[in-house]
Amino acid sequence: MSFLQTLSGLSREELRMALYSTTAAEVEAAIEGEQGNLRHLLALLSPAAEAYLEPMAQRAAALTRRRFGHNIGLYLPLYLSNLCANECDYCGFTMSNKLKRKVLSLDELAAEMAVIKPQGFDSILLVSGEHETKVGIDYFSEVLPLVKAEFSHVAIEVQPLSGEHYRILVDKGLDAVMLYQETYDPATYRKHHLRGNKQDYGYRLASPERIAEAGVDKIGLGVLLGLDDWRMDALLMGYHLDYLERRFWRSRYSISLPRLRPCVGGIAPKVQLTDRGLVQLICAFRLFNEQLEISLSTRESPSLRDNLLGLGITQMSAGSRTEPGGYVNPAAQLDQFEISDERSASEVASVLRGRGFTPVWKDWEAGWIGAS
């Protein structure tokens, strides 16, 4: 059974009623309960759990230290293109926006990497707008080996691909795929995806299954917090994570919790997620899954990012640019969204060390596990 079939069999109304009628006793049981229990995740995401942020945070911190120590992985997004064939009303890359479009040439890619490499990064996330013809499998197949030659860990955040295409990229060194559903509510999804292939809710939802079947080591899930009720979206992402881990246990999993940020032509959030709500989300998922990697982007402010470090975060970006060519030319103004933490990588690493954490620039290489 696919996850789309599993999701279709859930009563969203019953889940919503349970979420918003959770009792204090159910929250207390969930804080100390076993991991992997979806009813406990529901309780930890509920409004009733807001009164328990302190014990949730203490337990989340202890679980994170037990599994990940004081290590925080640092990565950098490298934007390949802002060309996009979709109309999504929350994204600066949406096709109707009148902005200069760009696809990095191989020489421009080399120039970007030459700026990034001296900063210490060895984990790169390749990002592009979704454009099948001009920024598709042929382009990725050409680019990926060049990036892999310079960086040990390479992930992509691009349009959904076929299983065959994911296998091609795995053979060329792909380590991870980040693919966010944006929202698990089909009606809300239709409202915000107006044209292009991204309108296909089911194909996007099934993509992590194709990714896992292709043998990708790590798969990243996420929702854009603010498009819909964040508690329900997060809960259904928990169901998705549970499904994938049970069926595709050889892959590792991560989640990202980005809040809707301003962009050219963008929209206001339907539901505001407060800082306390973000803390609740992070702690809830850590209590649900001790092994889960949780990423925090530069969408958040420096002070908030610093204060969230001990609660469950295992990876964060630093010194990010969200436009193609942005590391060579920071004034390009081709951004996907506004960032809030504009500190350099060295500044972020210094803060981490000052707070007792170890910035990890490189934590994986094929040779360490006997691969050629």
Side-chain angles (χ1 to χ4, degrees):
M1 182 180 293
S2 69
F3 181 66
L4 178 59
Q5 293 170 314
T6 300
L7 188 61
S8 298
L10 296 175
S11 170
R12 293 171 186 264
E13 190 55 37
E14 288 181 7
L15 287 176
R16 192 183 306 276
M17 289 178 61
L19 184 64
Y20 284 92
S21 61
T22 298
T23 66
E26 289 171 322
V27 175
E28 292 170 4
I31 293 174
E32 298 298 332
E34 77 275 15
Q35 295 181 40
N37 185 314
L38 287 164
R39 297 298 296 183
H40 286 173
L41 177 63
L42 181 150
L44 295 168
L45 291 170
S46 71
E50 292 177 356
Y52 291 86
L53 284 189
E54 184 59 33
M56 286 176 63
Q58 290 177 2
R59 181 155 172 75
L63 290 172
T64 306
R65 299 290 79 75
R66 184 171 75 180
R67 170 61 181 84
F68 296 95
H70 287 79
N71 300 315
I72 302 289
L74 295 176
Y75 71 93
L76 197 69
L78 197 172
Y79 277 69
L80 299 172
S81 171
N82 63 357
L83 198 64
C84 193
N86 294 317
E87 184 72 23
C88 309
D89 61 8
Y90 52 81
C91 179
F93 287 178
T94 190
M95 63 187 297
S96 64
N97 271 356
K98 305 301 182 184
L99 73 159
K100 184 178 178 181
R101 303 291 177 165
K102 184 176 184 61
V103 179
L104 291 186
S105 68
L106 299 186
D107 287 343
E108 289 169 329
L109 173 64
E112 288 283 278
M113 292 192 293
V115 173
I116 293 169
K117 192 69 175 177
Q119 298 180 42
F121 289 101
D122 206 30
S123 181
I124 292 294
L125 173 64
L126 300 178
V127 186
S128 79
E130 300 192 7
H131 199 291
E132 298 284 349
T133 55
K134 295 186 179 179
V135 191
I137 186 59
D138 292 340
Y139 181 74
F140 300 139
S141 295
E142 190 173 23
V143 162
L144 187 63
L146 301 178
V147 180
K148 189 67 175 182
E150 298 294 331
F151 301 95
S152 296
H153 192 272
V154 180
I156 60 171
E157 185 180 333
V158 302
Q159 68 266 22
L161 304 175
S162 69
E164 177 187 358
H165 289 168
Y166 282 124
R167 284 188 288 272
I168 289 172
L169 296 182
V170 168
D171 289 342
K172 292 180 180 293
L174 179 65
D175 298 301
V177 178
M178 310 294 123
L179 187 66
Y180 307 144
Q181 188 63 26
E182 315 298 9
T183 176
Y184 284 87
D185 184 273
T188 300
Y189 190 93
R190 287 193 298 272
K191 176 182 177 182
H192 294 288
H193 301 97
L194 307 175
R195 281 191 291 174
N197 290 337
K198 198 170 180 178
Q199 286 183 298
D200 193 335
Y201 172 91
Y203 186 75
R204 193 172 189 88
L205 190 68
S207 297
E209 292 161 63
R210 296 193 303 277
I211 295 166
E213 288 168 347
V216 175
D217 177 64
K218 187 169 80 171
I219 302 169
L221 305 179
V223 288
L224 186 54
L225 300 163
L227 286 185
D228 206 89
D229 181 343
W230 61 266
R231 298 182 195 275
M232 276 295 295
D233 264 340
L235 176 60
L236 292 174
M237 182 170 66
Y239 272 86
H240 200 177
L241 174 65
D242 180 71
Y243 169 91
L244 292 167
E245 285 197 317
R246 291 178 185 277
R247 183 174 172 190
F248 303 104
W249 50 268
R250 289 184 176 86
S251 292
R252 296 183 293 137
Y253 296 91
S254 69
I255 62 166
S256 182
L257 301 169
R259 288 192 280 191
L260 188 61
R261 290 287 300 156
C263 69
V264 177
I267 60 169
K270 175 181 176 180
V271 179
Q272 287 283 354
L273 173 60
T274 65
D275 290 352
R276 285 179 60 84
L278 184 59
V279 170
Q280 183 180 352
L281 266 174
I282 293 169
C283 293
F285 273 99
R286 176 56 67 224
L287 269 60
F288 176 65
N289 190 322
E290 183 178 347
Q291 309 295 322
L292 184 65
E293 297 182 26
I294 303 178
S295 178
L296 188 64
S297 82
T298 51
R299 290 172 181 255
E300 303 298 341
S301 69
S303 60
L304 181 61
R305 295 219 310 163
D306 294 348
N307 289 326
L308 291 175
L309 285 172
L311 300 184
I313 300 302
T314 62
Q315 291 184 315
M316 59 194 303
S317 53
S320 302
R321 302 297 305 181
T322 64
E323 71 273 18
Y327 296 107
V328 171
N329 180 17
Q333 298 300 310
L334 308 174
D335 306 58
Q336 185 182 26
F337 56 85
E338 293 181 13
I339 62 174
S340 292
D341 190 347
E342 298 183 348
R343 294 175 295 182
S344 69
S346 61
E347 289 174 319
V348 171
S350 178
V351 169
L352 288 175
R353 287 189 288 266
R355 289 175 173 254
F357 294 93
T358 302
V360 177
W361 305 92
K362 175 178 181 175
D363 66 352
W364 185 92
E365 186 172 358
W368 293 357
I369 57 173
S372 58

